[in-house]
Amino acid sequence: MGRQNKKKQLISYENAIKKSNDFSMAKLSQKLTLNQMQLLAYAIYSTQRDGKTEFIKADFEKKFNLGEYRREEARNDSRKLFDLEFSLDDLETDEFDFLHVFQRINFKNGRFSFQWSEDMLPHIQDLQELYIVNGFMTISSFKSSFSWILYDYLKGHYGHWHKPVSKDALMRLFNVHDKKTYQSHTGLFKKTVLDVAIKEINKYTELEVWYKEEKEGRAITGFDLHWSAGERIETATKKQIKELKNIIDAVFDDMFRYMNINDEKDRQRAINLTREVEEMRAFIAEPICITKEKADESIKKAIWNFKALNRLFEKNLSPVSPESKKKVKFYNWLEDRN
């Protein structure tokens, strides 16, 4: 059983990607930049969301806050992904089995289209066996590709709390095994690769990671990676956010009626109730950062405020006022919900 820590993190299962444990722990045969990893992740996300690996460039830019993703960048990154393979070997063995990831990648008029290889599909679709879930709020925070690699690797070892890995195997995981400076200077490898990844994982994710050095004499031969997992809390669903938005909009559609109530005490009460609903707009802004429980609590509060505002409005209507014929109607979906 894995260790637990006190960290808590929101994750939206409607805004996340799933990968098989094999793929999460796999060694990608090419070195990917951070942008290329983001493009691969968004291809997985699009496939799992609606079964189509097709999306417009603007949506990809928005998801990762990229600014302008130029055509030449898209071309180079797509070329790299097209050549992508991954192996299902154990990092400590000499065995390997390479699989192609894509059969085709197309880009036209600002729209990406990916075709997965048949060998790849079981690792991202209809996952019944062990798999991991990565939320975009987490992985979009990473600034280093090393963080992404190590996070996936540790998440793939679900239920474990430590993993001894030789220095050579860890360098191959990060795809830096051919750098002679890292081979001869372990301290440099730690400073610019391993420690960078661990710092970002500890900062942005539910994991808390550290390691113990394994030595033969004075030489560092490996690392015993340790980690603990915090609680992952599910964010509000799209249905909850939509319902809360509908109530907020309903209140503000008739805001000026509430503000024009004649009785001073009731008018101030209406202003306070409206302000409470207005503060809930922060809950429906992207990215969604409230829990399912908080969303449900906010919906109930917004409904109560909405009904209280209408009671105040009706209370202050004059029987002969034209407004008396235009009473604010409760929406059927509010009544049905109760």
Side-chain angles (χ1 to χ4, degrees):
M1 182 176 180
R3 291 173 173 168
Q4 296 292 310
N5 62 50
K6 296 182 180 180
K7 293 168 71 174
K8 294 184 178 182
Q9 185 177 53
L10 287 172
I11 180 170
S12 169
Y13 289 94
E14 296 171 337
N15 192 26
I17 62 174
K18 297 179 181 179
K19 295 189 289 186
S20 72
N21 276 18
D22 281 339
F23 186 50
S24 300
M25 294 186 290
K27 173 183 175 296
L28 297 177
S29 61
Q30 286 85 10
K31 298 176 183 178
L32 298 184
T33 65
L34 186 61
N35 276 2
Q36 290 159 6
M37 289 183 172
Q38 291 167 338
L39 188 59
L40 174 61
Y42 201 70
I44 296 174
Y45 169 71
S46 299
T47 302
Q48 292 174 342
R49 182 175 55 178
D50 56 18
K52 298 179 180 178
T53 308
E54 186 174 297
F55 54 87
I56 62 174
K57 181 169 69 73
D59 287 342
F60 170 63
E61 292 169 336
K62 181 179 179 181
K63 182 64 70 174
F64 289 101
N65 299 313
L66 295 180
E68 183 184 0
Y69 187 57
R70 298 190 301 273
R71 179 189 178 281
E72 192 59 29
E73 292 176 302
R75 185 182 187 281
N76 292 338
D77 289 345
S78 297
R79 177 73 233 186
K80 190 73 171 182
L81 292 188
F82 183 70
D83 293 334
L84 189 63
E85 301 169 332
F86 73 96
S87 59
L88 300 178
D89 59 333
D90 188 305
L91 288 172
E92 300 289 356
T93 72
D94 291 329
E95 298 178 9
F96 54 85
D97 180 21
F98 289 105
L99 305 177
H100 281 285
V101 175
F102 294 107
Q103 290 183 352
R104 184 174 186 176
I105 300 177
N106 178 267
F107 181 79
K108 184 177 181 180
N109 297 327
R111 181 177 293 274
F112 285 100
S113 178
F114 292 79
Q115 183 178 347
W116 300 97
S117 71
E118 291 184 7
D119 289 333
M120 182 64 192
L121 286 173
H123 295 283
I124 60 170
Q125 283 189 320
D126 301 322
L127 295 172
Q128 303 297 326
E129 302 299 328
L130 294 174
Y131 60 87
I132 70 167
V133 178
N134 282 346
F136 273 107
M137 284 189 290
T138 295
I139 59 180
S140 62
S141 299
F142 290 153
K143 303 297 186 294
S144 170
S145 60
F146 299 138
S147 308
W148 201 308
I149 292 170
L150 184 59
Y151 183 61
D152 267 3
Y153 182 72
L154 298 179
K155 290 289 293 297
H157 286 88
Y158 177 79
H160 294 72
W161 56 272
H162 84 111
K163 172 72 175 176
V165 186
S166 69
K167 175 188 171 183
D168 179 65
L170 199 56
M171 288 175 61
R172 284 191 283 121
L173 174 68
F174 288 119
N175 266 312
V176 295
H177 52 285
D178 57 348
K179 285 188 174 288
K180 293 184 178 181
T181 52
Y182 291 158
Q183 294 170 2
S184 57
H185 295 89
T186 305
L188 186 62
F189 166 70
K190 287 167 50 181
K191 180 181 179 180
T192 58
V193 179
L194 182 58
D195 290 347
V196 168
I198 289 177
K199 182 178 180 180
E200 285 201 333
I201 291 172
N202 289 344
K203 181 177 181 180
Y204 296 118
T205 81
E206 81 285 8
L207 299 185
E208 195 70 37
V209 186
W210 66 100
Y211 60 81
K212 297 179 181 180
E213 296 175 354
E214 296 184 334
K215 296 182 177 181
E216 291 183 3
R218 298 179 60 183
I220 298 174
T221 59
F223 301 87
D224 191 1
L225 301 175
H226 291 249
W227 67 95
S228 60
E231 182 182 359
R232 309 230 23 195
I233 306 171
E234 190 172 356
T235 61
T237 65
K238 291 180 180 178
K239 182 179 179 181
Q240 286 178 307
I241 296 301
K242 181 178 180 181
E243 185 173 3
L244 183 57
K245 182 179 183 302
N246 286 341
I247 303 168
I248 294 172
D249 289 345
V251 169
F252 280 84
D253 282 346
D254 290 289
M255 177 177 64
F256 292 107
R257 291 184 178 184
Y258 306 140
M259 300 301 102
N260 288 326
I261 290 175
N262 289 327
D263 183 85
E264 184 177 349
K265 184 177 180 180
D266 286 346
R267 183 170 63 253
Q268 187 58 51
R269 174 64 175 152
I271 291 173
N272 292 338
L273 289 169
T274 303
R275 284 175 176 169
E276 288 179 359
V277 175
E278 168 65 14
E279 290 173 356
M280 297 180 189
R281 284 200 183 275
F283 299 156
I284 61 176
E286 291 286 350
I288 304 303
C289 295
I290 61 169
T291 65
K292 292 177 67 174
E293 292 75 15
K294 180 64 176 179
D296 198 50
E297 174 188 320
S298 300
I299 290 169
K300 291 177 182 177
K301 175 65 175 174
I303 291 174
W304 190 93
N305 282 26
F306 180 62
K307 291 183 176 181
L309 283 165
N310 278 277
R311 286 193 294 269
L312 289 171
F313 176 72
E314 293 176 5
K315 172 186 172 184
N316 284 271
L317 281 177
S318 168
V320 296
S321 170
E323 287 293 310
S324 64
K325 300 178 182 180
K326 301 179 182 179
K327 292 182 180 181
V328 180
K329 296 181 179 180
F330 294 123
Y331 289 100
N332 289 334
W333 45 267
L334 286 183
E335 299 297 345
D336 291 343
R337 194 178 193 277
N338 295 334

